[in-house]
Amino acid sequence: MSSYGGSAPEPAPEPAPAPEKKKRVGVKMTDKQKGDLTKHMEKQKKAGMSGSELKSHRMKMMGRMRKGMTVGKAHKDIMK
């Protein structure tokens, strides 16, 4: 036993619960948007983007297009 003369150690405080993630409801791309994005990605592939760059670019494009941007506007926004 230790003889430090103090009281029993206090229990650690409980961690706060993690905030719940909100689901995106009704935020889907139209068939036209999907087709436009596919064409855009083919152009990027031919321009020499690597596989990991293509994936990153596609994810960024999809996020912006779901918010209502066109392919051109989304690409400009990413490439600033």
Side-chain angles (χ1 to χ4, degrees), residues 65-79:
M65 290 176 75
R66 285 184 181 124
K67 293 177 185 174
M69 287 186 177
T70 62
V71 171
K73 284 184 181 179
H75 183 74
K76 266 187 179 177
D77 190 45
I78 292 167
M79 299 312 248

Side-chain angles (χ1 to χ4, degrees), residues 5-79:
S7 61
E10 294 180 23
E14 292 184 25
E20 291 184 30
K21 288 187 178 181
K22 295 179 183 176
K23 289 186 180 181
R24 291 185 179 190
V25 179
V27 186
K28 294 185 179 181
M29 291 174 63
T30 64
D31 289 340
K32 182 185 181 329
Q33 284 178 314
K34 289 176 187 177
D36 292 345
L37 181 58
T38 301
K39 288 177 189 174
H40 174 75
M41 294 311 296
E42 283 298 318
K43 287 181 186 176
Q44 299 307 308
K45 190 174 186 178
K46 288 178 183 175
M49 266 194 189
S50 71
S52 59
E53 288 174 325
L54 284 169
K55 184 176 181 180
S56 173
H57 187 72
R58 183 179 191 84
M59 292 297 117
K60 290 175 186 175
M61 290 288 291
M62 284 172 35
R64 286 164 174 78
M65 290 176 75
R66 285 184 181 124
K67 293 177 185 174
M69 287 186 177
T70 62
V71 171
K73 284 184 181 179
H75 183 74
K76 266 187 179 177
D77 190 45
I78 292 167
M79 299 312 248

